[in-house]
Amino acid sequence: MDKDKQIIHLMAAQDFSGLEFLIDEYSSNLYKTVYSILSYPEERAYVEDGMNEILYEIWQKITRYDETKSSFQTWMLMIARNRSIDWKRKLVRERTVTDENVTIPTDSELLEKENFLALVDHLSDIDQEIFLYYYFYQFSAKEIAEMLAVSVEIIFNRLSRGRKTLRELEEKKDGKL
């Protein structure tokens, strides 16, 4: 029996050794996922609590895992990603101070729309990449600029133009244009 099946079997049987194996095998990947989304210093305090909640959610939902839909690791990382994005949204709503050099997504409804990925498909390849990094994976503009070897200003300009393009597409689709 491979390690994933063994972990699933033990956890489904409510055997805590399965949870221990999961932590040994996957905690670093789960941690990296949470840490990359809760990327601002004031959000870092939630990472540890978040990890505990994610592990508990995996424990609770283990019987719902379907190997025909995704790998075990992907399934767990999606739980971690979704939970982290929920916390990020909550923290952004609670934030009262905004810095004009930091864009706190006022257009977060773009992420919440079911057709976000379909809309992003209308952007150029580089803009798609920037949008996915920024809105989907929650990287900062500085991190994206470093990855793409461009300036932060270019990232903000492309995000601004992309949001405008997507807004126009949405308005056109809704019959407002």
Side-chain angles (χ1 to χ4, degrees), residues 111-168:
L111 181 61
E112 296 170 355
K113 289 188 182 281
E114 292 176 10
N115 60 351
F116 174 74
L117 293 175
L119 281 173
V120 171
D121 219 19
H122 290 84
L123 301 175
S124 69
D125 289 344
I126 187 70
D127 288 343
Q128 285 180 30
E129 188 174 5
I130 291 169
F131 258 69
L132 289 174
Y133 281 141
Y134 193 78
Y135 287 110
F136 201 70
Y137 295 111
Q138 304 289 308
F139 284 106
S140 70
K142 182 180 177 188
E143 291 169 321
I144 299 168
E146 289 170 2
M147 285 188 287
L148 300 178
V150 297
S151 71
V152 174
E153 291 78 23
I154 288 174
I155 299 300
F156 282 123
N157 285 340
R158 287 188 171 274
L159 286 168
S160 177
R161 281 187 295 214
R163 283 191 300 267
K164 181 180 177 191
T165 301
L166 294 181
R167 241 184 257 111
E168 289 171 356

Side-chain angles (χ1 to χ4, degrees), residues 13-28:
Q14 301 292 299
D15 184 338
F16 285 106
S17 62
L19 185 59
E20 291 172 8
F21 291 146
L22 179 134
I23 291 168
D24 290 343
E25 190 66 33
Y26 293 109
S27 64
S28 65

